[in-house]
Each structure stands twice: as structure tokens, then as C-alpha cells.
Amino acid sequence: MDTEELIRKCKAISIRDGHERKLLLRGGTQGQGGRRMANSLVGKVLLARSIHTEGIKTALAQAWRTIKEVKVESLGNNIFLFKFGLETDKKKVMAGGPWHFDRSLIVLKEPSGIGNIRKEEFTHAAFWVQIHNLPIVCMDRENVQKLGELIGEVMEVETDEDGECIGSYARIRISIKITKPLEKMVFLELDDNDEVELPVLYERLPDFCFCCGTIGHQFKECALYEGQSKENLPYGVYMRALSKAEKTRINRGRDKWNWRGEQQNHGFTEQESQRRS
């Protein structure tokens, strides 16, 4: 039985002695409880099936690679409390997201108020977003910031030392409301009433619905799905972009294979080349 159902049932039972037992909580965010709040994150995994605590603990230990072990406790309904031993570990995890479990998004946030889980809203997640086809005249922090604000709350704009965003795309960290459809494109309106289409791609994008564009379910589970083929749905895998880390791993792999090929072309095996070096 989940917490909401338990509270509903308890409220339905009449209290015979005519009053409720209450404890007055003073200084709710101070003392040991306040320290626990400050060192913790709460997270909800957007997955229909129930998740075992040990499973997510093991998976995230490998992904996060914190200096100190993170304590993980289930709070019910696929919501978990993550208690950090170091503030730097907590900051690293928040900056490194979004994080996934079984290809489903983990919505992480700092607990608010006194940490009443029933009142926590797991509605926003931060993504690195790429805006493509940007005209040269817009390749600066100010314009990219304004474009990012069409998508969500801008947290950071990646620039060079001159404050410019020159490249094949602009890269912005944005807090996105995940209960709304993902933006596929934003537009620049020009003085002559023409417009420029700017495709939007998302790094580390988890499973999402190709039918309605929201994160948290897949298209076959969507109320709007009418049996169309995957290719005819309005959203798709093309909205996923490689992150910097993923590009680095791919390039390292290519360099390794190129190195092996060069050594073989010169008649050396990898072991022989290492002995010669």
C-alpha cells in the first residue's frame, strides 16, 4: 500500500476520543534533521514497475563514482533518499545529470521545506541542450540565452573565453518541465517576416514518448497512440544528441583502432609495439 492510500484510509476512520495526537515540530530545518536535509537529494525514477533499493544503489554507485559512499533509502513509489557524505559529491551529481536507471529518467532535486515527500514536485530536470543551425550573428551569449529561454529556465550557456558560442551548435544547460512535450525546434523571426528554423537536440535524453513528446512513458503506453508505426510519430530518436563525454569515448575508441591499424601495417602486433616503446 502506498503512502497516499494509507493516509486516505486512516482519515476515513473516525477517532472515538474526539481529538488527534499531534507533535509540535519546532525549528524543523535545524539540528540533525536540517543537516540530513542539507546532505541529501531526493529522486524519483519515472518507471512504471517497482524498483529495488539495492538495484538502484549498485547502478548509481557505478555511474556517480563518488568519493564517499552514498546511502540510498526507499521512500516508496519509486522515490529515493540519497544521503551524501561529502558536499562536493552531491554537487558533482547534480551538475552531471540527467541520470537514468534502466533508461528511465531519475528526477533529482534538493528536498524542500521540511522534506514532506507528499508535497515534493518531481516536474523539472536539467539537460544540456543543443540548438543547431544558428546564424553567425546569433553566436553570442545574449542571443543564445534568449533562445534557451524559449525551451525552459536557462542555468548555463557554454561560451569560449570571448563570450561567444561559435560552432555547429550552441550548447545550453536548461531546466525543463518534463510534464510538457519536448521542444523539437525554436525559430528566429527576421525583419522581412522570414524565419530561421533551429532544431533542438538533448544530450543524455532517456526514454520518452514519440507520440506526445513527454518524458515518463513510451509511445505504446500513451493515451494518444493510435497504432501508427514508430517512423510516423511526431517525435523520434533524432532528438538525442551525443554528450561531450560520449563523443570523447567514441574518439578514443577510433584513435585506438587507428593506432592498431598503423602498427599492423608496419608488421607489429600491439604487444610487440609496447615492448619496443
Side-chain angles (χ1 to χ4, degrees):
M1 184 183 300
D2 63 28
T3 305
E4 292 289 341
E5 179 66 10
L6 183 60
I7 292 174
R8 188 187 68 78
K9 284 185 175 294
C10 288
K11 281 185 174 181
I13 300 172
S14 61
I15 301 175
R16 293 184 179 180
D17 58 9
H19 67 276
E20 299 170 344
R21 305 307 199 257
K22 295 182 181 180
L23 171 67
L24 177 61
L25 181 63
R26 298 182 185 275
T29 58
Q30 299 175 6
Q32 184 178 355
R35 289 191 294 273
R36 186 182 307 115
M37 291 268 291
N39 295 334
S40 299
L41 295 173
V42 288
K44 182 170 185 177
V45 185
L46 303 185
L47 194 60
R49 63 176 175 81
S50 296
I51 299 167
H52 294 295
T53 304
E54 283 303 315
I56 193 168
K57 181 179 179 180
T58 301
L60 292 182
Q62 295 173 352
W64 290 352
R65 299 183 182 277
T66 55
I67 297 172
K68 284 196 172 183
E69 182 183 0
V70 179
K71 294 181 179 179
V72 183
E73 297 293 343
S74 174
L75 303 177
N77 300 324
N78 281 352
I79 300 172
F80 296 87
L81 177 72
F82 303 97
K83 191 169 181 296
F84 292 82
L86 290 174
E87 178 71 14
T88 51
D89 282 340
K90 176 182 166 183
K91 288 181 177 179
K92 180 182 121 178
V93 167
M94 285 299 287
W99 301 100
H100 312 154
F101 178 78
D102 198 14
R103 296 171 56 181
S104 297
L105 180 65
I106 305 172
V107 184
L108 277 177
K109 61 177 295 188
E110 297 197 47
S112 57
I114 62 169
N116 186 345
I117 298 303
R118 291 180 63 220
K119 293 187 176 180
E120 295 288 359
E121 294 185 349
F122 298 93
T123 56
H124 289 76
F127 288 84
W128 278 104
V129 176
Q130 299 177 4
I131 298 181
H132 289 247
N133 195 37
L134 200 64
I136 295 174
V137 73
C138 292
M139 291 182 179
D140 57 76
R141 182 191 297 274
E142 182 180 356
N143 281 302
V144 170
Q145 169 96 18
K146 291 177 180 177
L147 287 168
E149 289 169 355
L150 299 175
I151 302 169
E153 180 184 350
V154 174
M155 304 170 68
E156 183 181 348
V157 177
E158 185 176 81
T159 65
D160 60 21
E161 61 273 10
D162 298 319
E164 296 182 317
C165 309
I166 297 173
S168 56
Y169 57 83
R171 192 166 180 262
I172 321 164
R173 187 145 177 93
I174 303 177
S175 177
I176 294 171
K177 190 167 185 178
I178 60 172
T179 55
K180 290 185 175 182
L182 295 168
E183 296 288 349
K184 294 194 294 183
M185 204 175 307
V186 292
F187 299 86
L188 276 174
E189 188 175 359
L190 308 180
D191 292 336
D192 58 2
N193 292 326
D194 196 6
E195 62 182 21
V196 180
E197 300 169 332
L198 309 176
V200 179
L201 305 183
Y202 301 81
E203 297 180 11
R204 298 175 58 85
L205 184 61
D207 283 346
F208 70 105
C209 180
F210 295 169
C211 193
C212 71
T214 59
I215 297 172
H217 64 272
Q218 299 189 49
F219 69 92
K220 289 186 178 179
E221 304 164 335
C222 185
L224 301 178
Y225 180 58
E226 297 178 345
Q228 311 96 305
S229 67
K230 193 187 219 180
E231 293 73 24
N232 292 327
L233 294 174
Y235 299 84
V237 293
Y238 55 84
M239 294 174 64
R240 289 192 173 107
L242 289 175
S243 67
K244 278 189 168 183
E246 289 168 331
K247 286 181 179 179
T248 299
R249 284 197 295 270
I250 290 171
N251 289 335
R252 282 176 180 169
R254 287 173 179 166
D255 291 343
K256 185 175 182 180
W257 283 110
N258 289 338
W259 178 85
R260 284 179 176 175
E262 289 174 3
Q263 299 302 322
Q264 289 170 359
N265 288 337
H266 286 86
F268 300 135
T269 66
E270 184 174 347
Q271 290 78 11
E272 289 172 336
S273 299
Q274 289 174 350
R275 286 198 296 270
R276 287 171 175 263
S277 61

